[in-house]
Amino acid sequence: MTNPPSTHGTTPTPDIDALVERLATGELAWARTHLSERRALLLDVAAATAAIADTWVRVAADIKQLNPASPLLGEEWLSGPYAVLTYLQALQETLRRLDEGGDVLAGTRITRAPGDRLAVQVLPYDTYDKLLLNGFHAEVWTTPGTTEEQLRATAGLAQRTPRRTRGVALVLGAGNILSIPPLDVLYQLFAENRTAVLKLNPTTDPLADVYRAMFKPLTDRGLVEIVTGGPEVGGALAGHPGIAAVHMTGSEATHDAVVWGTGEAATAAKTAGTPKLTKPMTSELGGVSPIIVLPGEWSDADLRYQAEHVATMRLHNSGCNCIAGQILVLSSDWPQKNAFLTALRRALATAPARPAWYPGCEARVQAARDLHPGAEKPGGTPERTLLTGLDLTDPDETAFTTEYFGPVLGVAELPGTATQFLDAAVTAANERLHGTLGANLIAHPDTVKTLGHRLRDAIADLRYGTIAVNAWTGVGYATPRATWGAYPGHTLDDVQSGIGIVHNALLLDHTERTVVTGPFRPAPRSILSGEASLSPKPPWFVTHATAARTGRLLTEFAADPRWQDLPTLFASALRG
């Protein structure tokens, strides 16, 4: 049955049968496409992305109602074209190694991690990483029992057998971070060896032409299609017999609507274990992310800097991030607890104002306030909200189960210091907070030294897909060779933060999580205090004064890395 184009509204309904048929034909061509040609296509997409980057960021500013002169535009550079360009460069390097018959992991540092796991260093990966992200590190940890031989033999995933394609995938695109839709498409095409149709979230429809321009080398070959429209278009595509698999980034509610349906029919389907969608479904769905602050002896400058760090975890993108920190866990026995909270209130109040651009943001903030009459309002636009005194033993506390997707930060306290507090915080994060996408820990270097191996054991105990120590888990999202997704083990009827991973430019198998570490202090204080880090305040901080210029320069560098461009880039970052 043909689906004729509709002229209802301003967006015509696509001819879904014809679209899927084009992608099925493209799949046959993809199976015949040699690895060297696939790599060349990635480089073509990178060139197209670089060419459209300015337009991308301008459109993003319109979507998010940002002043074109605002430093906050740096968020759109870094979480937009920069993230895509770094991924394309990393992925083409993996294909080059596979094409040459080499070991994808040759020269990569592989060490042991707790619980019979392996740790694959993915940041820094090359000299440029060591310079641009000095002091930041990231590892991908494998599932327990994976051997190095298995890891090396399977790196490359479906690109090890490129002629064995796996049908046509539907990607239901995210509406908040604008690199997510293209990155999800690329993962389907290369990791899964499927051609793909990207159904945009209506929030991102203004970017449709940008996405089409960057993917033109792939759409010209029938490998990718991009469509707009409402839920009916997504539903028709998901149910089409020519679609072999579905991947989405969004909310748990949307996931369940796709898999189980809605209303009483969905409840009955869940009870019976008979999903409406019977084809493979992967997803990334967010959750309630903890920020665990380990007690220590901090300077006033440390308190201010880490308060800005926590504010960034919550306020980046107006808090409309699946990985936004939502529950701050403090020790009630930390002598500097109140000083830190004072610094945090100031950071929340003075961070740059921005609109509540994402649909429903103001209503979600108000709902949180209605349930917490004592909520503080530090200021900002939309008005930021601080929920103090949350009780981790209260089974009815909604802040632990509701992803606010807006500028609402909760604070909970636990007794103890050192390992006693760490163990209690890990248990609370695992057992009380809904979702497993990411967890953040902040610890003074002296505290890290005192804890020794116990800190690494605690990381192993945390059941999260990305864990960051003295960094935001958003760094894991932006690290192209890192994995991104929920902790393994969720099911369709209890999906929480999702099933499966994306990014993973080394195309590693047997992965469990990514672990990111960063410097406790920015340079030059880091150097003066003995930390081996030259990084200034990171450009993703909401308080970074030159974030827009630095983000543009980083994007230009990712498109065409040249040594002579580094001094200008460093100077811009330092001025921030």
Side-chain angles (χ1 to χ4, degrees), residues 218-260:
L218 304 178
T219 55
D220 284 352
R221 291 172 171 248
L223 305 176
V224 172
E225 293 278 350
I226 297 170
V227 299
T228 58
E232 71 285 352
V233 175
L237 281 164
H240 194 283
I243 296 293
V246 179
H247 176 81
M248 68 159 287
T249 298
S251 71
E252 189 173 351
T254 301
H255 170 274
D256 284 356
V258 173
V259 173
W260 302 101

Side-chain angles (χ1 to χ4, degrees), residues 388-409:
T388 57
L390 300 180
D391 182 359
L392 285 162
T393 66
D394 181 358
D396 299 321
E397 177 49 72
T398 56
F400 303 147
T401 56
T402 302
E403 182 186 5
Y404 287 129
F405 220 64
V408 180
L409 179 65

Side-chain angles (χ1 to χ4, degrees), residues 109-132:
R109 186 170 182 260
I110 301 174
T111 56
R112 307 299 305 183
D116 195 25
R117 297 171 172 91
L118 297 176
V120 182
Q121 181 176 298
V122 294
L123 180 73
Y125 187 80
D126 56 24
T127 302
Y128 289 139
D129 282 348
K130 293 175 183 176
L131 292 171
L132 294 173

Side-chain angles (χ1 to χ4, degrees), residues 336-528:
Q336 293 180 291
K337 178 196 69 178
N338 289 333
F340 180 69
L341 286 173
T342 297
L344 177 60
R345 291 182 178 98
R346 185 180 302 115
L348 291 171
T350 58
R354 61 195 309 162
W357 71 275
Y358 199 82
C361 180
E362 290 177 314
R364 288 188 295 275
V365 172
Q366 187 58 51
R369 290 179 184 161
D370 291 344
L371 289 170
H372 301 86
E376 299 180 30
K377 302 174 182 179
T381 307
E383 196 164 12
R384 291 137 196 183
T385 299
L386 190 65
L387 311 178
T388 57
L390 300 180
D391 182 359
L392 285 162
T393 66
D394 181 358
D396 299 321
E397 177 49 72
T398 56
F400 303 147
T401 56
T402 302
E403 182 186 5
Y404 287 129
F405 220 64
V408 180
L409 179 65
V411 182
E413 297 180 18
L414 292 168
T417 57
T419 56
Q420 179 192 7
F421 171 78
L422 177 59
D423 292 344
V426 167
T427 298
N430 284 339
E431 297 181 2
R432 292 293 295 117
L433 304 186
H434 188 74
T436 64
L437 188 61
N440 310 273
L441 296 95
I442 299 174
H444 190 284
D446 290 345
T447 304
V448 173
K449 185 177 180 180
T450 299
L451 289 169
H453 70 85
R454 181 60 199 120
L455 179 59
R456 200 158 169 86
D457 290 342
I459 291 170
D461 291 339
L462 278 165
R463 297 192 293 269
Y464 287 83
T466 298
I467 298 163
V469 180
N470 291 335
W472 178 33
T473 44
V475 178
Y477 173 89
T479 300
R481 294 176 177 88
T483 56
W484 184 251
Y487 189 78
H490 297 313
T491 57
L492 289 178
D493 61 347
D494 183 22
V495 72
Q496 295 203 38
S497 290
I499 297 170
I501 60 166
V502 289
H503 302 186
N504 185 28
L506 289 172
L507 300 179
L508 298 174
D509 203 358
H510 311 291
T511 62
E512 182 185 69
R513 73 182 84 196
T514 287
V515 178
V516 179
T517 59
F520 181 73
R521 305 177 179 94
R525 283 199 306 117
S526 56
I527 302 165
L528 297 174

